[in-house]
Amino acid sequence: MIINSELEQRGNQFPNDIKEVRQEVDTIYFTTLNEVVLQLTVLRDSVIRFRYGTRGILEDDFSYAIDTDSYTGYNHLELTENKNYHIVTTAKLIIKIEKISLQTKILDKEGHLINEDEIGFHYEESFTLGGNIVKMGKRAHPGETFFGLGDKPVHLNLRGKKFTNWATDSYAFGKDTDPIYKSVPFYIGLKEKKAYGIFFDNSFKTNFDFCQERLDVTSFWAPGGEMNYYFFYGPSMSDVVANYTHLTGKPDLPPLWSLGFQQCKWSYFPESTVKALAQKFRDLRIPCDGIYLDIDYMEGFRCFTWNKEYFPDPKRMIGELEADGFKTIVIIDPGIKIDPDYWVYQEGLENDYFCKRADGPYMVGKVWPGECAFPDFTNPEVRDWWAGLFKDIVGDIGVRGVWNDMNEPAVMEVPGKTFPDDVRHDYDGHPCSHRKAHNVYGTQMARATYEGVKKYVYPKRPLVITRSAYSGAQRYTSSWTGDNVATWEHLWIANNQVQRMCLSGMSFTGTDIGGFAEQPTGELFARWIQLGVFHPFCRVHSSGHHGDQEPWAFGDEITNITRAFIEMRYTFLPYLYTMFYEYSTKGIPMIKPLVYYDQEDPHTNYRTDEFIFGNCILVCPILEPNSKGRRMYLARGTWYNFWDNSVIEGGRELWVDADLDRIPMFVKEGAIIPRYPVQQYVEEKVITELKLDVYFKIGKEASQVYEDGNDGYDYKKGRYSLRNFNLTGKEGELTIQQHKSGTYDTSYDTIKLNLIGLSFEIKSITVDNVEYDLNILENDGKCLKLSKNFAVVNLMG
């Protein structure tokens, strides 16, 4: 007998002629003769979902990434056709679907091509594993550039590179290592200075090729699941990132103390070491808000336990640390030690909460405690149980934050360092293998941790940090970039990773300052601190096996430099908190690569080092040893050198001096930067005066300052203070207008204006149409103090 195996070897399959079109409100279904279905949904005028099924079937529609509370709605939707295309028109886009192939073209309303299929959707049937290998090919145009994709340790511009998203424990990863800890299948394209974005919401091992295999093709694919992607149109990069962040979710505000400096090591123990560490910070007057305990605080690395030899009374110790301004954050890993006398293991076993292999045995793997079982965090019942486990360490003992490590999930001594593919998961009622659940496992652990910490730290706000993450994790957790190395190359990587994470919706991110593995020189540590204080999450973390890495570990010169820059961060706290407010309400990234800041300037497409901190401060770290300065690109516009207030025109590359105690910093003209006094920890002092550094400009500029109770949830009831400032500068005149909203009364009744760069001598001051005596000015002739209720300040020349 001859067996015809042609069907099993047919390879790529493609949609053919459209036979049916059906519309249901905002969703249009296109079905081909060979039973390929395209479900096109208009979420907003500029946000379109493309979802493909084969054999006439669409899978159950479920995603961990999408924020179900995200806003949707459009202004216009029209379906028409001509000889070759079905045409979907919104208020901002024209989508053409080719009748003979389902290939799409997306144009703006003026008819300019934004994005188009090259080969479009195609697939292979996976006879070995089941389902389809789903693929998409997009045409790439000359000069088109690509950004995003989470924590990839590569150049910001992704063109010419290929990547895999598979959360991986990647100890001591290097430049261009792929994959590493996170899976964020979202990228931004910039074509002819117009931005768009694509989010491939598929939790399998997704792959992206940005013109590496073929110079004019960008493609993405996965070995299972659906071809399900969202298209975002700008035309500004800011619109793309904001819409993606709205779709996948924005975080609540964190407690203000979590934006302070944090100190961590593997490991600080016993209690005497922790208390001595805290005392050293206070003795040396180096601000610090958080101290972290790594796995050695546990009894035999068993989660939710305490080593009574090292920490005989953790509640007392944590209370004493809190009295001195330190919050305690502890590590919790997913591996639960297999021990019949261990209560967490007993509960998980009795309730069948642990992951199982395909044939029924529990998934067993070695991590720090030895052989462990692993909760299935994709099961909502398991997440509820896990959240309840935090009652003791958070609710009773007083821990204020939790960091989840090893949650890729990482397993020792096995190929691939993670679960085998046959491990089964609930996936919130959509049972699947680990092939589908792997990339979301860490996020669902962080989600369960967040719910527990939030419940038991109430009425305060929670802090959760995760190493592994999938799109949407920002709703529950902050993150750090994993086990880096104390090298100059890793300082460059750190700078790029945080910029890229901010573009990818995950702004509350930082790196292990100084490097986790190996030990930095004093110079490298100083340069890393100078970068790290501008990252949203600011934490020193290191492996104690390689030596000490506290701010005072490198001699007096480095200690003094470190102190100065940490103090600078604390003075910038109202500016940083306002950045977080914009992120949590509008999806605006806290750190902005130059290409985000000015996509019209072709030079910014290829810059990696410089970034915008918030909206108004340009920072360029020193990334090489023995440097007395560096060449850098100053973005277009007029800038003030932060250190000497000299005025410099941008749009050019220039040399900037920067000895070891300096980092190149520039402030945008017209900016109003809020500053607090130096504190050793958040709320050490009652703020009696808000300082505003006002950088003069001929023209107009808007700024704002957000404040609230620094913790708790009253801000959601309107108890916040949002000051919107409008600055107007003219020859011989400066006007500042303030509009304040919210019911929160700040602790200060004085605002101090520090006027920088005035081009004239002040002759008179008018506040709310009342002229004030010039004696109000302080000795330097450029500062004045006014009531917090001022509405208009005129400084007339």
Side-chain angles (χ1 to χ4, degrees), residues 133-160:
I133 303 167
V134 293
K135 311 174 185 180
M136 175 60 66
K138 296 284 187 180
R139 190 174 303 282
H141 297 265
E144 193 168 358
T145 49
F146 306 97
F147 307 89
L149 231 60
D151 64 343
K152 304 300 184 186
V154 301
H155 193 286
L156 282 179
N157 191 333
L158 302 174
R159 183 152 187 156

PDB file of all heavy atoms in Angstrom, residues 133-160:
ATOM      1  N   ILE A 133       1.562  26.344  13.927  1.00  0.00           N
ATOM      2  CA  ILE A 133       2.658  27.303  14.010  1.00  0.00           C
ATOM      3  C   ILE A 133       2.189  28.519  13.232  1.00  0.00           C
ATOM      4  O   ILE A 133       1.986  28.445  12.015  1.00  0.00           O
ATOM      5  CB  ILE A 133       3.946  26.727  13.399  1.00  0.00           C
ATOM      6  CG1 ILE A 133       4.325  25.412  14.092  1.00  0.00           C
ATOM      7  CG2 ILE A 133       5.083  27.743  13.499  1.00  0.00           C
ATOM      8  CD1 ILE A 133       5.387  24.615  13.364  1.00  0.00           C
ATOM      9  N   VAL A 134       1.963  29.621  13.937  1.00  0.00           N
ATOM     10  CA  VAL A 134       1.335  30.793  13.309  1.00  0.00           C
ATOM     11  C   VAL A 134       2.392  31.836  12.989  1.00  0.00           C
ATOM     12  O   VAL A 134       3.319  32.065  13.782  1.00  0.00           O
ATOM     13  CB  VAL A 134       0.232  31.386  14.214  1.00  0.00           C
ATOM     14  CG1 VAL A 134      -0.933  30.413  14.329  1.00  0.00           C
ATOM     15  CG2 VAL A 134       0.765  31.726  15.597  1.00  0.00           C
ATOM     16  N   LYS A 135       2.260  32.458  11.821  1.00  0.00           N
ATOM     17  CA  LYS A 135       3.308  33.340  11.314  1.00  0.00           C
ATOM     18  C   LYS A 135       2.701  34.585  10.680  1.00  0.00           C
ATOM     19  O   LYS A 135       1.607  34.545  10.135  1.00  0.00           O
ATOM     20  CB  LYS A 135       4.144  32.611  10.264  1.00  0.00           C
ATOM     21  CG  LYS A 135       4.629  31.234  10.685  1.00  0.00           C
ATOM     22  CD  LYS A 135       5.332  30.509   9.551  1.00  0.00           C
ATOM     23  CE  LYS A 135       5.713  29.092   9.934  1.00  0.00           C
ATOM     24  NZ  LYS A 135       6.407  28.378   8.832  1.00  0.00           N
ATOM     25  N   MET A 136       3.465  35.671  10.730  1.00  0.00           N
ATOM     26  CA  MET A 136       3.056  36.921  10.087  1.00  0.00           C
ATOM     27  C   MET A 136       4.287  37.586   9.487  1.00  0.00           C
ATOM     28  O   MET A 136       5.323  37.711  10.157  1.00  0.00           O
ATOM     29  CB  MET A 136       2.409  37.867  11.102  1.00  0.00           C
ATOM     30  CG  MET A 136       2.054  39.244  10.566  1.00  0.00           C
ATOM     31  SD  MET A 136       0.887  39.247   9.171  1.00  0.00           S
ATOM     32  CE  MET A 136      -0.592  38.611   9.981  1.00  0.00           C
ATOM     33  N   GLY A 137       4.176  37.989   8.227  1.00  0.00           N
ATOM     34  CA  GLY A 137       5.253  38.704   7.567  1.00  0.00           C
ATOM     35  C   GLY A 137       4.812  40.092   7.166  1.00  0.00           C
ATOM     36  O   GLY A 137       3.774  40.269   6.522  1.00  0.00           O
ATOM     37  N   LYS A 138       5.589  41.108   7.572  1.00  0.00           N
ATOM     38  CA  LYS A 138       5.308  42.503   7.271  1.00  0.00           C
ATOM     39  C   LYS A 138       6.436  43.077   6.406  1.00  0.00           C
ATOM     40  O   LYS A 138       7.608  42.755   6.608  1.00  0.00           O
ATOM     41  CB  LYS A 138       5.203  43.323   8.565  1.00  0.00           C
ATOM     42  CG  LYS A 138       4.041  42.932   9.472  1.00  0.00           C
ATOM     43  CD  LYS A 138       2.730  43.446   8.949  1.00  0.00           C
ATOM     44  CE  LYS A 138       1.588  43.228   9.917  1.00  0.00           C
ATOM     45  NZ  LYS A 138       0.310  43.747   9.389  1.00  0.00           N
ATOM     46  N   ARG A 139       6.058  43.926   5.478  1.00  0.00           N
ATOM     47  CA  ARG A 139       7.061  44.570   4.653  1.00  0.00           C
ATOM     48  C   ARG A 139       7.738  45.689   5.438  1.00  0.00           C
ATOM     49  O   ARG A 139       7.081  46.506   6.082  1.00  0.00           O
ATOM     50  CB  ARG A 139       6.428  45.134   3.381  1.00  0.00           C
ATOM     51  CG  ARG A 139       7.462  45.626   2.352  1.00  0.00           C
ATOM     52  CD  ARG A 139       6.791  46.034   1.057  1.00  0.00           C
ATOM     53  NE  ARG A 139       6.022  44.956   0.481  1.00  0.00           N
ATOM     54  CZ  ARG A 139       6.543  43.927  -0.210  1.00  0.00           C
ATOM     55  NH1 ARG A 139       7.862  43.848  -0.365  1.00  0.00           N
ATOM     56  NH2 ARG A 139       5.770  42.991  -0.704  1.00  0.00           N
ATOM     57  N   ALA A 140       9.062  45.709   5.404  1.00  0.00           N
ATOM     58  CA  ALA A 140       9.839  46.777   6.036  1.00  0.00           C
ATOM     59  C   ALA A 140      10.375  47.694   4.953  1.00  0.00           C
ATOM     60  O   ALA A 140      10.831  47.234   3.894  1.00  0.00           O
ATOM     61  CB  ALA A 140      10.985  46.198   6.852  1.00  0.00           C
ATOM     62  N   HIS A 141      10.334  48.971   5.197  1.00  0.00           N
ATOM     63  CA  HIS A 141      10.694  49.958   4.192  1.00  0.00           C
ATOM     64  C   HIS A 141      12.064  50.560   4.502  1.00  0.00           C
ATOM     65  O   HIS A 141      12.525  50.542   5.658  1.00  0.00           O
ATOM     66  CB  HIS A 141       9.621  51.043   4.125  1.00  0.00           C
ATOM     67  CG  HIS A 141       8.293  50.509   3.685  1.00  0.00           C
ATOM     68  ND1 HIS A 141       7.872  50.546   2.378  1.00  0.00           N
ATOM     69  CD2 HIS A 141       7.299  49.902   4.382  1.00  0.00           C
ATOM     70  CE1 HIS A 141       6.671  49.996   2.283  1.00  0.00           C
ATOM     71  NE2 HIS A 141       6.296  49.600   3.490  1.00  0.00           N
ATOM     72  N   PRO A 142      12.726  51.087   3.513  1.00  0.00           N
ATOM     73  CA  PRO A 142      14.038  51.717   3.750  1.00  0.00           C
ATOM     74  C   PRO A 142      13.945  52.791   4.834  1.00  0.00           C
ATOM     75  O   PRO A 142      13.032  53.620   4.815  1.00  0.00           O
ATOM     76  CB  PRO A 142      14.387  52.314   2.386  1.00  0.00           C
ATOM     77  CG  PRO A 142      13.643  51.473   1.399  1.00  0.00           C
ATOM     78  CD  PRO A 142      12.352  51.107   2.086  1.00  0.00           C
ATOM     79  N   GLY A 143      14.871  52.759   5.765  1.00  0.00           N
ATOM     80  CA  GLY A 143      14.895  53.750   6.832  1.00  0.00           C
ATOM     81  C   GLY A 143      13.956  53.465   7.979  1.00  0.00           C
ATOM     82  O   GLY A 143      13.985  54.172   8.994  1.00  0.00           O
ATOM     83  N   GLU A 144      13.117  52.442   7.882  1.00  0.00           N
ATOM     84  CA  GLU A 144      12.199  52.107   8.966  1.00  0.00           C
ATOM     85  C   GLU A 144      12.991  51.523  10.139  1.00  0.00           C
ATOM     86  O   GLU A 144      13.894  50.701   9.953  1.00  0.00           O
ATOM     87  CB  GLU A 144      11.160  51.105   8.472  1.00  0.00           C
ATOM     88  CG  GLU A 144       9.983  50.910   9.395  1.00  0.00           C
ATOM     89  CD  GLU A 144       8.849  50.129   8.733  1.00  0.00           C
ATOM     90  OE1 GLU A 144       8.970  49.777   7.535  1.00  0.00           O
ATOM     91  OE2 GLU A 144       7.834  49.880   9.413  1.00  0.00           O
ATOM     92  N   THR A 145      12.651  51.954  11.346  1.00  0.00           N
ATOM     93  CA  THR A 145      13.383  51.512  12.530  1.00  0.00           C
ATOM     94  C   THR A 145      12.406  50.924  13.541  1.00  0.00           C
ATOM     95  O   THR A 145      11.198  51.192  13.493  1.00  0.00           O
ATOM     96  CB  THR A 145      14.173  52.670  13.161  1.00  0.00           C
ATOM     97  OG1 THR A 145      13.311  53.820  13.310  1.00  0.00           O
ATOM     98  CG2 THR A 145      15.354  53.057  12.287  1.00  0.00           C
ATOM     99  N   PHE A 146      12.956  50.144  14.494  1.00  0.00           N
ATOM    100  CA  PHE A 146      12.116  49.377  15.402  1.00  0.00           C
ATOM    101  C   PHE A 146      12.668  49.457  16.822  1.00  0.00           C
ATOM    102  O   PHE A 146      13.879  49.398  17.040  1.00  0.00           O
ATOM    103  CB  PHE A 146      12.050  47.915  14.944  1.00  0.00           C
ATOM    104  CG  PHE A 146      11.624  47.754  13.513  1.00  0.00           C
ATOM    105  CD1 PHE A 146      12.572  47.599  12.509  1.00  0.00           C
ATOM    106  CD2 PHE A 146      10.290  47.788  13.164  1.00  0.00           C
ATOM    107  CE1 PHE A 146      12.194  47.464  11.181  1.00  0.00           C
ATOM    108  CE2 PHE A 146       9.894  47.659  11.837  1.00  0.00           C
ATOM    109  CZ  PHE A 146      10.851  47.499  10.846  1.00  0.00           C
ATOM    110  N   PHE A 147      11.750  49.535  17.785  1.00  0.00           N
ATOM    111  CA  PHE A 147      12.119  49.715  19.184  1.00  0.00           C
ATOM    112  C   PHE A 147      11.164  48.917  20.069  1.00  0.00           C
ATOM    113  O   PHE A 147      10.086  48.540  19.644  1.00  0.00           O
ATOM    114  CB  PHE A 147      12.057  51.201  19.569  1.00  0.00           C
ATOM    115  CG  PHE A 147      12.847  52.092  18.650  1.00  0.00           C
ATOM    116  CD1 PHE A 147      12.265  52.638  17.517  1.00  0.00           C
ATOM    117  CD2 PHE A 147      14.179  52.363  18.904  1.00  0.00           C
ATOM    118  CE1 PHE A 147      12.991  53.448  16.652  1.00  0.00           C
ATOM    119  CE2 PHE A 147      14.909  53.165  18.052  1.00  0.00           C
ATOM    120  CZ  PHE A 147      14.321  53.705  16.921  1.00  0.00           C
ATOM    121  N   GLY A 148      11.572  48.698  21.337  1.00  0.00           N
ATOM    122  CA  GLY A 148      10.708  48.028  22.302  1.00  0.00           C
ATOM    123  C   GLY A 148      11.190  46.638  22.647  1.00  0.00           C
ATOM    124  O   GLY A 148      12.386  46.365  22.723  1.00  0.00           O
ATOM    125  N   LEU A 149      10.261  45.717  22.884  1.00  0.00           N
ATOM    126  CA  LEU A 149      10.495  44.299  23.163  1.00  0.00           C
ATOM    127  C   LEU A 149      11.070  44.061  24.565  1.00  0.00           C
ATOM    128  O   LEU A 149      11.758  43.071  24.799  1.00  0.00           O
ATOM    129  CB  LEU A 149      11.392  43.675  22.090  1.00  0.00           C
ATOM    130  CG  LEU A 149      10.885  42.380  21.437  1.00  0.00           C
ATOM    131  CD1 LEU A 149       9.546  42.612  20.738  1.00  0.00           C
ATOM    132  CD2 LEU A 149      11.887  41.831  20.445  1.00  0.00           C
ATOM    133  N   GLY A 150      10.804  44.952  25.495  1.00  0.00           N
ATOM    134  CA  GLY A 150      11.128  44.657  26.882  1.00  0.00           C
ATOM    135  C   GLY A 150      12.583  44.770  27.247  1.00  0.00           C
ATOM    136  O   GLY A 150      13.230  45.774  26.949  1.00  0.00           O
ATOM    137  N   ASP A 151      13.148  43.725  27.872  1.00  0.00           N
ATOM    138  CA  ASP A 151      14.447  43.856  28.534  1.00  0.00           C
ATOM    139  C   ASP A 151      15.616  43.387  27.686  1.00  0.00           C
ATOM    140  O   ASP A 151      16.689  43.084  28.231  1.00  0.00           O
ATOM    141  CB  ASP A 151      14.429  43.086  29.861  1.00  0.00           C
ATOM    142  CG  ASP A 151      14.241  41.583  29.689  1.00  0.00           C
ATOM    143  OD1 ASP A 151      13.801  41.161  28.605  1.00  0.00           O
ATOM    144  OD2 ASP A 151      14.516  40.831  30.644  1.00  0.00           O
ATOM    145  N   LYS A 152      15.478  43.325  26.381  1.00  0.00           N
ATOM    146  CA  LYS A 152      16.562  42.819  25.531  1.00  0.00           C
ATOM    147  C   LYS A 152      17.838  43.652  25.735  1.00  0.00           C
ATOM    148  O   LYS A 152      17.816  44.883  25.628  1.00  0.00           O
ATOM    149  CB  LYS A 152      16.155  42.860  24.066  1.00  0.00           C
ATOM    150  CG  LYS A 152      14.863  42.096  23.746  1.00  0.00           C
ATOM    151  CD  LYS A 152      14.952  40.627  24.092  1.00  0.00           C
ATOM    152  CE  LYS A 152      13.700  39.882  23.667  1.00  0.00           C
ATOM    153  NZ  LYS A 152      13.703  38.474  24.128  1.00  0.00           N
ATOM    154  N   PRO A 153      18.982  42.999  26.008  1.00  0.00           N
ATOM    155  CA  PRO A 153      20.229  43.725  26.310  1.00  0.00           C
ATOM    156  C   PRO A 153      21.002  44.085  25.041  1.00  0.00           C
ATOM    157  O   PRO A 153      22.151  43.690  24.850  1.00  0.00           O
ATOM    158  CB  PRO A 153      20.995  42.722  27.174  1.00  0.00           C
ATOM    159  CG  PRO A 153      20.568  41.390  26.650  1.00  0.00           C
ATOM    160  CD  PRO A 153      19.134  41.551  26.218  1.00  0.00           C
ATOM    161  N   VAL A 154      20.360  44.858  24.179  1.00  0.00           N
ATOM    162  CA  VAL A 154      20.922  45.171  22.867  1.00  0.00           C
ATOM    163  C   VAL A 154      20.750  46.659  22.596  1.00  0.00           C
ATOM    164  O   VAL A 154      20.153  47.398  23.371  1.00  0.00           O
ATOM    165  CB  VAL A 154      20.233  44.351  21.757  1.00  0.00           C
ATOM    166  CG1 VAL A 154      20.393  42.862  22.012  1.00  0.00           C
ATOM    167  CG2 VAL A 154      18.747  44.701  21.642  1.00  0.00           C
ATOM    168  N   HIS A 155      21.261  47.093  21.458  1.00  0.00           N
ATOM    169  CA  HIS A 155      21.079  48.462  20.988  1.00  0.00           C
ATOM    170  C   HIS A 155      19.586  48.785  20.951  1.00  0.00           C
ATOM    171  O   HIS A 155      18.754  47.928  20.638  1.00  0.00           O
ATOM    172  CB  HIS A 155      21.685  48.586  19.587  1.00  0.00           C
ATOM    173  CG  HIS A 155      21.846  49.994  19.099  1.00  0.00           C
ATOM    174  ND1 HIS A 155      20.776  50.759  18.685  1.00  0.00           N
ATOM    175  CD2 HIS A 155      22.945  50.768  18.946  1.00  0.00           C
ATOM    176  CE1 HIS A 155      21.216  51.947  18.296  1.00  0.00           C
ATOM    177  NE2 HIS A 155      22.531  51.979  18.447  1.00  0.00           N
ATOM    178  N   LEU A 156      19.226  50.020  21.251  1.00  0.00           N
ATOM    179  CA  LEU A 156      17.814  50.391  21.275  1.00  0.00           C
ATOM    180  C   LEU A 156      17.122  50.128  19.943  1.00  0.00           C
ATOM    181  O   LEU A 156      15.977  49.690  19.901  1.00  0.00           O
ATOM    182  CB  LEU A 156      17.663  51.871  21.649  1.00  0.00           C
ATOM    183  CG  LEU A 156      17.823  52.221  23.130  1.00  0.00           C
ATOM    184  CD1 LEU A 156      17.682  53.725  23.327  1.00  0.00           C
ATOM    185  CD2 LEU A 156      16.800  51.485  23.982  1.00  0.00           C
ATOM    186  N   ASN A 157      17.801  50.401  18.846  1.00  0.00           N
ATOM    187  CA  ASN A 157      17.242  50.180  17.519  1.00  0.00           C
ATOM    188  C   ASN A 157      17.379  48.695  17.180  1.00  0.00           C
ATOM    189  O   ASN A 157      18.483  48.155  17.124  1.00  0.00           O
ATOM    190  CB  ASN A 157      17.981  51.043  16.493  1.00  0.00           C
ATOM    191  CG  ASN A 157      17.294  51.059  15.140  1.00  0.00           C
ATOM    192  OD1 ASN A 157      16.599  50.114  14.763  1.00  0.00           O
ATOM    193  ND2 ASN A 157      17.495  52.131  14.393  1.00  0.00           N
ATOM    194  N   LEU A 158      16.259  48.013  16.935  1.00  0.00           N
ATOM    195  CA  LEU A 158      16.248  46.569  16.776  1.00  0.00           C
ATOM    196  C   LEU A 158      16.464  46.112  15.341  1.00  0.00           C
ATOM    197  O   LEU A 158      16.562  44.899  15.089  1.00  0.00           O
ATOM    198  CB  LEU A 158      14.914  46.006  17.273  1.00  0.00           C
ATOM    199  CG  LEU A 158      14.548  46.302  18.734  1.00  0.00           C
ATOM    200  CD1 LEU A 158      13.143  45.816  19.033  1.00  0.00           C
ATOM    201  CD2 LEU A 158      15.541  45.669  19.682  1.00  0.00           C
ATOM    202  N   ARG A 159      16.542  47.022  14.394  1.00  0.00           N
ATOM    203  CA  ARG A 159      16.627  46.612  12.995  1.00  0.00           C
ATOM    204  C   ARG A 159      17.892  45.774  12.762  1.00  0.00           C
ATOM    205  O   ARG A 159      18.981  46.098  13.239  1.00  0.00           O
ATOM    206  CB  ARG A 159      16.617  47.816  12.069  1.00  0.00           C
ATOM    207  CG  ARG A 159      16.620  47.403  10.596  1.00  0.00           C
ATOM    208  CD  ARG A 159      15.974  48.398   9.687  1.00  0.00           C
ATOM    209  NE  ARG A 159      15.869  47.884   8.331  1.00  0.00           N
ATOM    210  CZ  ARG A 159      15.004  48.282   7.432  1.00  0.00           C
ATOM    211  NH1 ARG A 159      14.106  49.207   7.750  1.00  0.00           N
ATOM    212  NH2 ARG A 159      14.967  47.765   6.219  1.00  0.00           N
ATOM    213  N   GLY A 160      17.720  44.692  12.001  1.00  0.00           N
ATOM    214  CA  GLY A 160      18.822  43.806  11.687  1.00  0.00           C
ATOM    215  C   GLY A 160      19.024  42.703  12.704  1.00  0.00           C
ATOM    216  O   GLY A 160      19.985  41.933  12.600  1.00  0.00           O
TER     217      GLY A 160
END
